[in-house]
Amino acid sequence: RRDSNRSCYGRNTNSRSEREIRTDKDGFQQVGSRGHTQDIQAPAPRILSRRPVEEATSKVSGPPPLNKEKLELRAKNIKNEYFQSKDVKELLLSFDELRSTPDAGKTVVQINLDVSIDAKDDEREAIFTMLIILYKNGKINGSDVAAPLGELVEFIGSFVMDSPKAMHYLGDIIADFIHVKAVDVRWLHAQIKKLERDDGHLIPGVVERTILSLISRHGKDEARSTFSKDCRPLVELVGAQKWNEIVAHLN
């Protein structure tokens, strides 16, 4: 009679029950029968996916945004730190700490342009250099520059009353920002046109001083190239005779 415990392939289906199964201290199972044992490794424990942890880590936010008062204080401190050290790497890292603060770039430009007119020569040049570095490294953009610099142009009349060389300093920073293409001649025309109502007599001076600064700081060729384009609105604003006197500096 065929053994009922044997399968159709001739193997005993209950043989497992006759085997002795033990687990040693290293986590291996020993399977054996009648004194014979065989080591087999227990199934490895399941490792949960680390993706949620990695995603959570990647979403860690930067420094919290600063309020208006703290942002303005930080803008001044960034300038002071750069003025003392001239460390470009540290300047860029310091600005990166403001990346979560809205309008940080515009505020840094605004605060430092406002103090530049009355600053000593070396501090003013450090401010101009710092702002150009920030622009060239993508930390501030044209919009951050255009509005604060436009306000400086618009209210240059009040600065001139307190600082006779204010027009000179204004020309320098406009020239530097034209040089890096943060602003252009069309922008300059739009800003000085705002002077027509109260300080129209200053318009030729702003144009002339910008051209002279562009020549002295970046070369006559660049000045010629810059003011040979889009100059018609400026000619109409200052008048043909005065324009010819101004551009004589380019010859």
Side-chain angles (χ1 to χ4, degrees):
R1 182 180 176 182
R2 180 177 296 180
D3 187 346
S4 61
N5 289 330
R6 296 179 64 85
S7 69
C8 61
Y9 289 100
R11 295 178 179 175
N12 192 323
T13 58
N14 292 329
S15 61
R16 180 174 177 83
S17 65
E18 297 175 4
R19 295 184 178 185
E20 183 178 359
I21 301 176
R22 299 191 302 274
T23 302
D24 66 13
K25 64 180 181 179
D26 295 320
F28 289 83
Q29 290 182 342
Q30 294 181 327
V31 181
S33 175
R34 297 178 182 178
H36 298 286
T37 62
Q38 177 182 2
D39 290 341
I40 63 172
Q41 188 173 6
R46 291 182 63 192
I47 299 177
L48 297 177
S49 172
R50 296 181 180 179
R51 183 174 300 172
V53 176
E54 293 173 353
E55 290 178 353
T57 302
S58 66
K59 294 179 181 179
V60 174
S61 60
L66 303 181
N67 60 33
K68 185 176 183 292
E69 181 180 351
K70 290 183 178 180
L71 175 58
E72 291 178 353
L73 179 60
R74 189 70 189 110
K76 295 174 183 177
N77 288 339
I78 287 175
K79 181 264 294 180
N80 292 336
E81 291 165 4
Y82 176 73
F83 179 57
Q84 294 296 326
S85 68
K86 303 300 189 295
D87 189 330
V88 172
K89 183 178 180 181
E90 187 63 30
L91 168 65
L92 300 179
L93 289 174
S94 294
F95 196 88
D96 283 342
E97 295 175 358
L98 302 177
R99 63 184 180 273
S100 61
T101 301
D103 294 326
K106 181 180 178 181
T107 301
V108 168
V109 176
Q110 179 80 66
I111 292 295
N112 286 290
L113 285 183
D114 284 349
V115 301
S116 67
I117 299 298
D118 295 324
K120 294 182 179 180
D121 291 348
D122 55 348
E123 183 179 3
R124 182 173 50 259
E125 282 300 322
I127 290 172
F128 292 173
T129 301
M130 179 189 75
L131 294 178
I132 295 301
I133 289 171
L134 291 174
Y135 180 82
K136 291 173 73 173
N137 283 274
K139 304 303 180 183
I140 59 177
N141 57 39
S143 296
D144 294 329
V145 171
L149 188 56
E151 289 183 13
L152 194 60
V153 175
E154 185 177 358
F155 299 107
I156 189 61
S158 59
F159 285 105
V160 168
M161 294 176 62
D162 299 323
S163 175
K165 296 190 72 174
M167 192 78 75
H168 183 107
Y169 307 146
L170 176 64
D172 285 349
I173 189 57
I174 293 175
D176 285 356
F177 277 126
I178 286 178
H179 175 66
V180 296
K181 296 178 171 53
V183 296
D184 56 19
V185 172
R186 286 178 293 180
W187 171 89
L188 178 61
H189 171 263
Q191 305 314 309
I192 61 176
K193 191 172 177 59
K194 298 174 184 177
L195 296 173
E196 282 187 306
R197 188 178 66 178
D198 298 321
D199 292 309
H201 63 287
L202 297 177
I203 291 175
V206 175
V207 176
E208 184 172 25
R209 192 61 251 177
T210 299
I211 290 176
L212 290 172
S213 292
L214 199 55
I215 292 171
S216 65
R217 296 168 80 88
H218 305 291
K220 187 173 287 189
D221 287 343
E222 181 170 335
R224 285 198 195 103
S225 175
T226 299
F227 282 90
S228 65
K229 299 172 290 186
D230 302 315
C231 66
R232 185 174 296 277
L234 289 178
V235 177
E236 294 175 354
L237 198 57
V238 303
Q241 181 177 349
K242 187 60 181 179
W243 176 255
N244 288 335
E245 293 175 10
I246 293 172
V247 296
H249 298 295
L250 299 174
N251 297 331

